[in-house]
Amino acid sequence: MEFAFFLFVNPTSGGNRAGVYLQLDAETIKFNLNQKPINVYFTSLHQRDQVEMNLRRIKEFQQRNVQVRVIVCGGDGTVMWVVDEMHKHGVDYSNCPIGIIPFGTGNDFSRVLGWGGDTDGDLGACLRNFKQQISQWLNAKIHDFDLWEINITVDAQTGSFKRIKKQGDLFQKEILQKDKDVLKQLDKRMSNYFSIGVDARIGFGFDKKRTQSACCNKCVYFCEGLKKMCLKNPTTNQVIQGMQILKEQNVTIEQITTTVPTDILFKTKGVNTREDQQPLNESKFILSGDPVTLLCLNIPSYSGGAGAIWDNCRGKVAVKEGTQKLQDKFVNQDFGDGKIEFVGFNSMIGMANERFIHGNAVRIAQGEGPFLISFKKNVSPYFQIDGEYFQAVNPTLALLKRSPIRIKVLMKAQN
C-alpha cells in the first residue's frame, strides 16, 4: 500500500521555526518505511503555485486510491487555512485525514489529538526524527472532527467590526471592510472554540503587542490578563440578551425573523434589552450568575492547555427555570459527535485557575444547534474565534451552526 504525506508549512509559525521543514532543498522525498513506499511533499503556504499544484496532486492520488495524509506545520489558525484551501479545490475530506506538527502559541487542536503543545523542529541526522514522526502518523487513529460556522451581524447604521492589524512595525486597530464599505456581517469557520467576553478582550490587547517568539507571546498574554483584572469588564448579563436553539437546520442569518420557531435556552438579567425579542424577554429560563465569558467549546482544550473544561464542571448548571436550577442531563464531550458545548466563567480568577484547579466553569448548553445569540442594545463586546480576536460595535445576532464540512483527523496512538 502506497502512502503520500503532504506537509503544508506556515513558515512564520512558531517564530519562524516551522520553516525548518522547507530547508531540505527538496519539494519531494521518497523512501520505504516498514516495507511501505512513502512519498512526502513539502508545500509552503506562502507559495501559491506550490499550494495549488499539491492540492491537484492530492486529488489525483485519491483517484488512484493512494493513502493520502495532510500534515499541517503551524498553529491552530493554520489548520483552518489548509482546510479552507482543501475546500476551495474540492478535495475529498472523507479520504484525507489531517494531522499536525504544532508550532503555534496555544496549539489546542494538536493537544486534543495527542501530539502535544509544542515541537522542537529537529528533523534528526539523516531525517531520523522525521521518519519517526511519519511512523507515528502511519499508526495514528483516524477520528471524525466537526467544524462549525459562525455568522455575526451588527447594526446596519452604526455597527462595525474591529481587529488589530500590523502596519509596518506597528499594530493598529482597523475597521473591517467589504468592497470599500464597512463590513456588517462576519462569517467564519470554526474548529476549536468561540467566546464572548473578557478572554477575548485580553486577546485583543495581546494582538497589539504580539511578538515573533512563542515564549514571549505567553508572557505578553499573561501581562494583558493582569492588566484587564484591574479594569471594569462588561459581563454576559450586560452584553447578551439571550440564546435560543433553532428548530430549522438550514436557516441563514439573513432569514432569521421573529417567526422562526425556536426553543429558548436562556435569557439574561439587566437592562438595554431589545423590544423585538418578545418571546425571549418572556422566557422563564434565566442565566444565573454573571459570567465574565461565554465560551463555546468544540474541543476539550482551551487557551493553550486548559483541558476538559466541560467534563470537569459536571453537575454545575447555570440555567434556572424560574427559581429552580435545571438538572445536569448533558453528556460527555466528543469533537466528532455533532454536538457543541457552552460554558461560562463567573470570574477572571476562576478562568485563570482552570488549568491548575479544575471545575471553575458552569454548564450552560449542549446540542446540535443551530444556536442563535441575541445581543443587547448599545454594546461593543470583544469576541474570538479560534484565537482570532475582534471587537463588535453594536452587534445584533450571532448564529452558530454545524458546517457541512466534516474532516477526519489523525489522533496519536497511545502506545
Side-chain angles (χ1 to χ4, degrees), residues 11-176:
T12 59
S13 286
N16 301 317
R17 290 187 300 125
V20 68
Y21 286 89
L22 300 174
Q23 296 173 4
L24 299 176
D25 293 327
E27 292 185 0
T28 308
I29 59 175
K30 300 182 180 182
F31 53 88
N32 287 327
L33 186 65
N34 301 332
Q35 298 182 338
K36 296 182 178 72
I38 305 293
N39 300 301
V40 184
Y41 299 88
F42 300 93
T43 307
S44 170
L45 285 165
H46 292 182
Q47 299 293 325
R48 191 72 211 161
D49 55 341
Q50 285 187 14
V51 173
E52 294 183 352
M53 178 182 66
N54 280 326
L55 287 169
R56 288 195 299 268
R57 189 173 278 157
I58 288 174
K59 294 175 68 175
E60 293 170 3
F61 280 12
Q62 288 180 326
Q63 292 172 358
R64 289 166 39 197
N65 294 322
V66 175
Q67 297 295 308
V68 176
R69 304 288 187 265
V70 166
I71 307 298
V72 177
C73 301
D76 294 346
T78 309
V79 175
M80 291 310 300
W81 184 358
V82 173
V83 168
D84 286 341
E85 291 292 343
M86 293 169 65
H87 179 64
K88 291 175 188 175
H89 289 79
V91 173
D92 181 7
Y93 296 99
S94 65
N95 195 26
C96 190
I98 298 173
I100 186 169
I101 303 173
F103 279 104
T105 302
N107 296 315
D108 291 291
F109 182 87
S110 176
R111 293 173 195 271
V112 299
L113 300 187
W115 303 108
D118 197 11
T119 184
D120 58 14
D122 181 11
L123 303 182
C126 300
L127 300 182
R128 179 179 179 181
N129 294 345
F130 182 51
K131 290 180 180 180
Q132 287 179 346
Q133 283 183 309
I134 293 175
S135 180
Q136 290 177 331
W137 297 331
L138 286 171
N139 295 322
K141 177 185 175 183
I142 298 174
H143 198 288
D144 289 327
F145 192 97
D146 299 320
L147 299 179
W148 296 79
E149 294 177 353
I150 298 175
N151 316 110
I152 303 176
T153 58
V154 295
D155 184 83
Q157 280 73 45
T158 60
S160 64
F161 295 99
K162 298 178 182 179
R163 70 176 174 190
I164 302 300
K165 183 179 180 180
K166 188 174 184 180
Q167 297 178 342
D169 294 331
L170 301 175
F171 290 93
Q172 295 182 342
K173 193 180 293 186
E174 72 164 358
I175 296 176
L176 300 188

Side-chain angles (χ1 to χ4, degrees), residues 224-287:
E224 281 298 313
L226 289 179
K227 185 164 59 174
K228 297 302 185 289
M229 288 184 70
C230 301
L231 301 176
K232 186 175 181 180
N233 298 289
T235 62
T236 300
N237 282 337
Q238 294 170 322
V239 169
I240 293 174
Q241 186 155 342
M243 188 165 77
Q244 306 165 70
I245 187 166
L246 305 183
K247 295 182 179 180
E248 297 179 13
Q249 290 291 322
N250 297 319
V251 177
T252 66
I253 199 165
E254 296 89 352
Q255 297 170 331
I256 292 174
T257 65
T258 54
T259 60
V260 175
T262 67
D263 286 328
I264 295 174
L265 296 173
F266 71 82
K267 69 176 181 179
T268 60
K269 297 167 281 189
V271 296
N272 290 336
T273 57
R274 295 181 184 272
E275 293 79 6
D276 58 355
Q277 297 288 335
Q278 185 175 357
L280 189 61
N281 295 337
E282 295 176 352
S283 173
K284 295 180 180 179
F285 294 99
I286 302 172
L287 181 67

Side-chain angles (χ1 to χ4, degrees), residues 197-207 221 224-225 228 348 351:
V198 68
D199 65 323
R201 188 180 186 186
I202 293 170
F204 197 84
F206 158 74
D207 271 351
Y221 194 91
E224 281 298 313
K228 297 302 185 289
M348 287 184 63
M351 187 171 64

